[in-house]
Amino acid sequence: MELATVAAAVTSTAARPHGPFSSPRAVSVSWNNSPSLASTSRRCLSTPSRRRLRRWLPVTSAAVELREAAAGGGDSLRVTETPQPGSSVKFSVEVPTSIIRECYQTTLQEYAKRFKVPGFRPGKTIPENILINYVGPQHVQDATIEAILKHTLPQALSSVEERALEDSVRILTQFDDLRNSFSLDDVFRYDVAVDVVPEVRWLSEDKYKNLKVVVEIDEAVDAEKAAEKELQRRHKALGLLRVVAERGLQIGDLVVLDIFAESINSDGSKGEKISSAESTGFHLDTEETNNLVPGFLGSLIGIHPGEARSFPIQFPESFEQESLRGVHAQFTVVCKELFYRELPKMGDSLAVKLLPGCTTIDEVRERILERCKEVEKTAIEQATDNAILDQLGKLVEVDVPRALFQEQGQQLYGAKLLQLQAERKLDKDQLASLSTQRSVQAYLEDEKENITRIIKQMLAVGDVFKSENLQYSTEQLIKEVENSIAEFKQYNQDYDENNIRQQVQDVLEAAKVLEWLKENCTVEYIRR
């Protein structure tokens, strides 16, 4: 972060007049510890990113440091630095009267140039008391305070210039307190804080060396099994549904159900209705039961059309919907319709219907298996990457700064919105409602643990990339930046090319680190 640019303006959440030093191109400095949230849908990529900064440098751990900083010649500022939690540094600044008076005179000169005071020709010297009365004493004082901050902030924060996170500077002292304590004859004091690049502390001496990773591969990823299921699915799609008239439900049937559910209290009495578990006209294929609550299908075997059954079930502790985990429920199910499939005989004559372009069943099997192997390979690679990153994040301790948390959280939320928009699940009104500060803040609170985990992984990756002197090509960077920009344009999203470039660099760094770790760590695969 170029701290010199901070001097361009200081904006406050409190309403106050714009003095002659206001600048529409200024870097915003938040007041009273109140960060502003940018529009997240405009600055989003689906990958972890770092705020723009110089490069990783170790964070000083000294308790308090007292120093003097020259402010453009003349008397020096007195600055006390105090490390704060969250990789933040607090600066208590004392500005001497010589600088205060200099800023005061500069303020008057600027007002004299900009305002036409009745009775005075342009360029004519305006007495100080007349100018102040014309502009307003409070406006002059406020503009002088802003001038002091503009003049002194770069010098006050110079010790962390190489480590400061962009847009993390915030004035801690209330502006009203600055007004009340302001005097041309006394030292001007204020507190300011800035977040700095956090230190990555490895929990073991060998850091990431000799890394051992266990990758769990879901059974559904198995290419052989997946290919067989896909062939069965295609075969079933060619069958005809026939009404079952003289028997009850059995495995292989398709049944239409009305499902009702209510919780059971600890004393056995009826509880509340479980709306999320209820459905009308629910189509259940008895051969595809992966998403069913254990025991549900078994309780329906033999049910006839028009019959209703009631039975208790306990939701497993691993159930996807957290509010239902471990809940005891009473289900009432009505069988509305019951069908069986009349399947055509499997043979070469069916090949072209199962997969266009094929002439034999063996060819169908071969091509489906080939595709499933590609999917399996991609899934295993992704699972390996995730496992390595997860393990890497567990090997470090990081005091995550607020600015970095806000930035990463907004990036992830924006990526989520972009994905939903790409999948046409959001219209413009829905996108606007989900892009409000309230929606973003709710996401940050709900996903705090996940965001922090990603930041730790991201910082660990950066440390490995630097330590191992890894590199990527300029051609790769240019190509990926162009692809990302094209994606933003495709969905009419505003974007910051510099921000995109930084994020793409993060992606490429992560790819290089993962490639290096795969070659230098032990990976064990377990099927589940």
Side-chain angles (χ1 to χ4, degrees), residues 5-38:
T5 62
V6 172
V10 180
T11 60
S12 167
T13 54
R16 65 184 193 278
H18 296 288
F21 300 99
S22 298
S23 168
R25 300 179 61 187
V27 174
S28 174
V29 180
S30 64
W31 210 279
N32 294 339
N33 219 11
S34 301
S36 60
L37 292 176

Side-chain angles (χ1 to χ4, degrees), residues 294-355:
F296 184 84
L297 179 59
S299 300
L300 295 178
I301 296 299
I303 193 172
H304 288 74
E307 180 183 351
R309 285 190 183 180
S310 185
F311 47 87
I313 279 183
Q314 182 179 4
F315 287 89
E317 294 294 340
S318 59
F319 195 67
E320 182 177 0
Q321 187 174 338
E322 188 175 352
S323 61
L324 292 180
R325 292 174 184 171
V327 171
H328 291 266
Q330 187 71 25
F331 278 85
T332 299
V333 179
V334 179
C335 178
K336 307 295 289 185
E337 297 178 88
L338 184 59
F339 304 92
Y340 71 93
R341 284 190 178 88
E342 188 176 272
L343 298 177
K345 183 178 180 181
M346 186 74 79
D348 290 344
S349 60
L350 207 61
V352 69
K353 294 182 179 179
L354 290 169
L355 190 60

Side-chain angles (χ1 to χ4, degrees), residues 7 14 43 48 81 84 105 123 164 182 223 259 266 274 307 329 357 436 482 487-488 493 502 514-515 522:
R43 304 167 57 212
E81 297 183 25
Q84 302 290 306
Q105 291 300 324
F182 178 81
I259 304 172
S266 57
I274 307 176
E307 180 183 351
T436 62
E482 290 175 347
E487 184 178 359
F488 275 88
Q493 292 285 327
Q502 180 62 63
L514 286 169
E515 180 182 331
T522 302

Side-chain angles (χ1 to χ4, degrees), residues 74-238:
D75 293 341
S76 299
L77 306 176
R78 185 179 177 86
V79 182
T80 303
E81 297 183 25
T82 309
Q84 302 290 306
S87 296
S88 179
V89 181
K90 174 184 173 183
F91 299 83
S92 297
V93 185
E94 295 182 4
V95 183
T97 56
S98 60
I99 295 178
I100 297 173
R101 291 181 177 276
E102 178 186 344
C103 292
Y104 175 70
Q105 291 300 324
T106 303
T107 300
L108 293 179
Q109 291 170 11
E110 288 292 328
Y111 275 130
K113 292 177 182 178
R114 296 191 180 192
F115 286 87
K116 294 182 179 180
V117 180
F120 293 90
R121 294 189 303 273
K124 182 74 173 180
T125 301
I126 306 172
E128 183 176 313
N129 62 325
I130 294 177
L131 180 60
I132 291 175
N133 287 333
Y134 181 78
V135 175
Q138 191 63 65
H139 286 193
V140 173
Q141 178 181 302
D142 289 351
T144 301
I145 291 174
E146 290 191 6
I148 293 171
L149 295 173
K150 168 190 173 181
H151 189 68
T152 61
L153 271 173
Q155 286 73 35
L157 306 181
S158 61
S159 66
V160 296
E161 181 176 3
E162 297 293 323
R163 301 185 283 130
L165 297 181
E166 187 181 29
D167 298 335
S168 70
V169 179
R170 53 199 181 275
I171 307 296
L172 302 179
T173 308
Q174 296 276 356
F175 195 79
D176 284 343
D177 292 339
L178 296 180
R179 282 173 170 167
N180 296 333
S181 63
F182 178 81
S183 171
L184 293 174
D185 302 316
D186 196 8
V187 172
F188 181 82
R189 298 178 176 85
Y190 66 91
D191 291 336
V192 60
V194 62
D195 292 339
V196 297
V197 178
E199 178 186 8
V200 177
R201 298 181 295 275
W202 294 92
L203 300 179
S204 61
E205 291 184 2
D206 56 358
K207 297 183 178 181
Y208 48 85
K209 303 292 177 68
N210 302 317
L211 186 67
K212 295 182 180 180
V213 178
V214 176
V215 182
E216 293 187 350
I217 306 299
D218 197 293
E219 184 182 36
V221 177
D222 185 280
E224 298 283 350
K225 295 180 179 179
E228 189 60 33
K229 287 184 178 180
E230 176 61 17
L231 181 60
Q232 291 176 2
R233 185 192 68 78
R234 290 171 179 264
H235 188 205
K236 286 164 61 176
L238 298 177

Side-chain angles (χ1 to χ4, degrees), residues 268-280:
S269 61
K270 292 183 179 180
E272 298 179 349
K273 183 171 67 171
I274 307 176
S275 300
S276 60
E278 296 189 335
S279 181
T280 301

